């Protein structure tokens, strides 16, 4: 139970900072989209996407490997080894970023993207600042996670987010152009890096050069090679093919719509699951360091239950609230993005449980399975994209995205069964899915009857009001889950205790029914 409380504290800390970051980021995205319009926002979104892709290439396996091996060393009571691993991987990251930047500059000077209808060098310099700053920040966050220190990233995201909102507000009032907004994006990445670095020195253990045992070094090298190949493969199939083909065969507006769908979906996923996602890998790695594969498999089953519940909330509320939210926030010029956003939210919710499988494969050194999954999924992604996007545009991109995600999930289940006897709790998941269908249908009917710009609020509340009690009625949660909920709600004061009394009655009724 002490470990569960430690996980809870980390989840809370990361979740709160992420909520603030996403809320501020969403406001910024809306202001930029309204100021630039669909076409110019599509060009801005393409540039931001390219920067993110270059950042992924810069870090490839380094952030994940840092978290895993540092946490594993701490779990084995070897803080000196954790320090030496952090030092070596941070040096690798610096070299990797330099190589990516050089290749990027050479490629841009040869290709000269048509989206950048201004002199190239200002954009090139801004992209370099954004990529190097954000990649280095992500590397340091990986080390922080391995040390189970989540304060620096929380402080950095909140402070830099507030400053960024102030800058974007001024730019919006001045009717800034696309390059000016991207310059502020680069400044935000730089601030994030600097603030996090200062907080790291306050809350985290410093790392230093030192020897790494040969057996650990071999495992680390193998993990880096496999994970680097895996991350680069994932970067190619994480909407990269869809964005590239849309940018080539469709319009900047289609790219903008796809970018809005991706942004809102990522935000919804992070709002509900980032705390669990951020803390799952280090805690699972520590469990593996202490008790091996069986201990990690037990944590996999527990994490899968929470991911599935969160995913159903994302899918249900996404269907109920998206049309009114998009019209209210972005305006009528972006109504064409609504079907894409709805479809992406549903897919992200239903397949969120795959995050727990991915974390398990990383921890138990099954990176070769993840590489095989990514190669096959990339092949599916490329075939569907080439066949559908040039002819069907945005709809083809969405079908490509869906087909790739389902193929990836099916392959993940297949390789999980080969790696461990642990399984997903399919029967409880099916019962909760039925409850989510009822909650979604009821909430959707209410929103349709109300016909109000703010009807989505009532719809969301009705969904939660039906789904949460139903999760107890269908006997989804375990006794350990219920004990953790009791401890959490007791810390929320009278409101929490009132909520828990209602949940207790449901839990008691289901316990009697099952006995």
């Amino acid at each position: 139970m002490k470990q569960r409380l430690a996980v809870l504290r980390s989840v809370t800390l990361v979740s709160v900072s992420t909520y603030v970051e996403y809320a501020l980021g969403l406001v910024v995205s809306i202001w930029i989209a309204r100021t630039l319009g669909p076409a110019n926002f599509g060009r801005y979104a393409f540039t931001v996407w390219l920067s993110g892709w270059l950042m992924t290439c810069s870090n490839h396996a380094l952030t994940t490997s840092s978290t895993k091996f540092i946490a594993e060393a701490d779990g084995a009571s070897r803080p000196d080894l954790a320090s030496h691993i952090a030092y070596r991987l941070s040096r690798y990251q610096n070299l990797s970023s330099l190589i990516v930047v050089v290749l990027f500059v050479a490629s841009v000077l040869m290709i000269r993207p048509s989206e950048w209808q201004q002199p190239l060098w200002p954009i090139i310099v801004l992209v370099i600042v954004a990529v190097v700053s954000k990649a280095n920040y992500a590397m340091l966050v990986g080390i922080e996670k391995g040390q189970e220190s989540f304060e620096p990233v929380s402080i950095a995201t909140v402070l830099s987010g507030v400053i960024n909102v102030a800058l974007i507000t001024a730019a919006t009032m001045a009717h800034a152009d696309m390059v000016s907004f991207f310059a502020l994006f680069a400044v935000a990445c730089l601030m994030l890096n600097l603030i996090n670095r200062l907080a790291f020195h306050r809350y985290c253990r410093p790392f230093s050069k030192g020897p790494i045992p040969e057996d650990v070094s071999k495992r680390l090298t193998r993990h880096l090679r496999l994970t680097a190949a895996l991350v680069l493969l994932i970067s190619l199939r994480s909407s990269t093919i869809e964005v590239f083909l849309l940018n080539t065969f469709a319009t900047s507006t289609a790219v903008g719509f796809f970018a809005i769908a991706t942004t809102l979906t990522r935000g919804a996923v992070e709002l509900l699951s980032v705390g669990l996602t951020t803390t799952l890998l280090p805690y699972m790695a520590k469990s593996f360091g202490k008790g091996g594969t069986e201990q990690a498999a037990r944590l996999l089953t527990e994490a899968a239950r929470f991911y599935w519940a969160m995913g159903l909330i994302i899918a249900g509320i996404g269907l109920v609230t998206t049309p009114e939210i998009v019209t209210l926030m972005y305006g009528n010029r972006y109504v064409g993005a609504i079907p894409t956003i709805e479809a992406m939210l549903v897919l992200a919710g239903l397949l969120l449980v795959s995050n727990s499988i991915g974390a398990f494969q990383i921890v138990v050194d099954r990176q070769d399975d993840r590489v095989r999954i990514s190669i096959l999924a990339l092949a599916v992604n490329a075939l569907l994209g080439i066949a559908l996007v040039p002819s069907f545009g945005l709809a083809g991109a969405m079908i490509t995205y869906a087909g790739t995600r389902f193929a990836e999930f099916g392959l993940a289940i297949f390789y999980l069964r080969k790696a461990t006897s642990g399984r997903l709790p399919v029967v409880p998941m099916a019962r909760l899915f039925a409850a989510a269908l009822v909650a979604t249908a009821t909430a959707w009917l209410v929103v349709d009857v109300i016909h109000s710009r703010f009807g989505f609020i009532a719809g969301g509340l009705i969904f939660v009001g039906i789904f949460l009690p139903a999760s107890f009625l269908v006997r989804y949660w375990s006794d350990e889950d219920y004990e953790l909920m009791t401890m959490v709600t007791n810390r929320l004061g009278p409101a929490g205790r009132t909520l828990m009394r209602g949940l207790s009655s449901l839990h008691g009724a289901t316990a009697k029914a099952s006995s």
Side-chain angles (χ1 to χ4, degrees):
M1 185 57 70
K2 288 183 178 179
Q3 185 182 24
R4 290 168 67 89
L5 286 175
V7 173
L8 174 63
R9 178 186 177 277
S10 300
V11 167
T12 303
L13 186 62
V14 175
S15 297
V16 170
S17 65
T18 301
Y19 298 157
V20 175
E21 179 190 19
Y22 177 66
L24 297 177
L26 182 60
V27 171
V28 165
S29 174
I30 294 168
W31 286 346
I32 295 175
R34 282 181 170 270
T35 302
L36 295 179
N40 282 326
F41 180 73
R43 297 185 182 95
Y44 169 84
F46 172 78
T47 309
V48 171
W49 163 82
L50 177 63
S51 300
W53 184 72
L54 292 172
M55 187 207 76
T56 301
C57 293
S58 297
N59 285 355
H60 46 85
L62 296 169
T63 54
T64 303
S65 298
S66 297
T67 300
K68 169 184 162 51
F69 281 91
I70 291 172
E72 190 176 307
D74 283 343
S77 300
R78 290 291 308 276
D80 58 325
L81 177 59
S83 174
H84 301 160
I85 291 172
Y87 179 88
R88 178 183 292 187
L89 294 183
S90 65
R91 299 286 80 79
Y92 288 170
Q93 196 274 332
N94 292 335
L95 177 61
S96 178
S97 293
L98 176 62
I99 293 172
V100 168
V101 165
V102 171
L103 293 176
F104 162 70
V105 173
S107 301
V108 169
L109 293 178
M110 288 188 296
I111 298 173
R112 295 183 174 272
S114 59
E115 290 75 18
W116 299 339
Q117 300 172 353
Q118 289 90 11
L120 284 178
W121 278 109
I123 301 244
I124 290 175
V125 171
L126 291 173
V127 169
I128 292 174
V129 171
V131 170
V132 173
S133 300
K134 193 70 176 289
N136 185 260
Y137 158 80
M139 179 64 199
L140 209 57
V141 169
I143 296 173
E144 293 163 1
K145 290 178 183 178
Q147 296 184 11
E148 298 179 20
S149 178
F150 301 98
E151 291 87 355
V153 64
S154 302
I155 294 170
T157 52
V158 172
L159 290 181
S160 63
V162 171
I163 297 172
N164 189 40
V165 166
L167 294 175
I168 294 295
T169 301
T172 301
M173 295 176 65
H175 301 286
D177 59 7
M178 188 273 287
V179 177
S180 299
F181 277 117
F182 185 73
L184 294 179
F185 172 79
V187 170
C189 293
L190 183 60
M191 287 190 302
L192 194 63
N193 184 303
L194 295 175
I195 296 172
N196 180 71
R197 188 166 291 276
L198 292 173
F200 179 89
H201 293 300
R202 169 67 176 80
Y203 291 97
C204 300
R205 303 192 307 267
F207 49 86
S208 59
K209 185 177 181 179
I212 298 176
E214 185 177 354
D215 59 330
V216 177
S217 183
K218 287 182 179 179
R219 285 183 56 226
L220 178 60
T221 300
R222 179 178 182 274
H223 189 273
L224 281 173
R225 290 173 179 171
L226 289 173
T227 307
L230 173 67
V231 171
L232 293 176
L233 287 170
I234 291 175
S235 72
L236 291 176
R237 63 170 175 74
S238 296
S239 303
T240 299
I241 291 176
E242 292 92 327
V243 171
F244 175 77
L245 291 174
L246 280 175
N247 194 61
T248 303
F249 295 102
T251 63
S252 296
T253 300
V255 176
F257 286 173
F258 195 83
I260 290 174
T262 304
T263 299
L264 291 178
T265 300
R266 179 182 61 84
V269 170
E270 289 188 352
L271 281 174
L272 287 176
S273 68
V274 68
L276 181 58
T277 300
T278 301
T279 56
L280 177 62
L281 181 58
Y283 281 107
M284 193 178 280
K286 181 168 284 189
S287 297
F288 178 71
K290 292 179 178 178
T293 302
E294 292 185 3
Q295 184 74 15
R298 284 195 291 271
L299 189 55
L300 162 68
T301 302
E302 185 172 328
R305 286 202 315 275
F306 281 94
Y307 270 122
W308 181 244
M310 294 171 184
L312 291 178
I313 293 174
I314 291 170
I317 293 182
L319 275 177
V320 171
T321 64
T322 293
E324 287 79 9
I325 287 179
V326 171
T327 304
L328 181 65
M329 294 193 308
Y330 289 93
N332 292 326
R333 290 184 296 176
Y334 291 90
V335 168
I338 290 175
T340 302
I341 297 170
E342 289 180 323
M344 197 172 286
L345 282 170
V346 171
L347 283 169
L350 294 179
L351 301 179
L352 187 64
V353 68
S354 62
N355 287 12
S356 60
I357 301 175
F360 175 80
Q361 290 171 329
I362 291 172
V363 166
V364 299
D365 290 329
R366 301 289 298 191
Q367 292 297 82
D368 48 347
D369 287 347
R370 298 191 75 208
V371 171
R372 296 186 189 99
I373 293 169
S374 294
I375 291 174
L376 294 173
L378 179 61
V380 172
N381 192 212
L383 289 173
L384 290 176
I386 293 171
L388 298 173
V389 176
S391 300
F392 300 101
L394 186 58
M398 197 58 239
I399 296 173
T400 300
Y401 177 85
T404 304
R405 292 298 308 275
F406 277 117
E408 181 184 13
F409 181 68
L411 290 167
I413 293 294
F414 173 77
Y415 282 104
L416 175 67
R417 291 178 175 174
K418 293 179 63 177
T420 179
S421 58
R423 294 288 185 269
L424 298 180
V426 177
V427 175
M429 289 169 61
R431 294 198 298 264
L432 193 65
F433 179 74
L437 285 179
V438 174
T440 302
T442 305
W444 186 85
L445 288 173
V446 170
V447 172
D448 188 58
V449 170
I450 291 177
H451 282 301
S452 169
R453 294 179 63 187
F454 299 98
F456 67 91
I457 297 176
L461 292 174
I462 288 173
F463 176 88
V464 173
I466 295 175
F467 180 78
L468 181 59
S471 68
F472 285 87
L473 293 174
V474 299
R475 304 188 304 279
Y476 183 71
W477 304 109
S478 68
D479 290 336
E480 286 189 340
D481 297 333
Y482 177 77
E483 290 176 9
L484 183 61
M485 292 177 192
T486 302
M487 299 180 71
V488 172
T489 53
N490 284 338
R491 298 186 179 189
L492 299 179
R497 288 190 289 271
T498 300
L499 173 64
M500 203 61 217
R501 280 195 292 270
L503 297 180
S504 297
S505 62
L506 291 172
H507 182 73
T510 54
K512 290 179 181 179
S514 59
S515 61

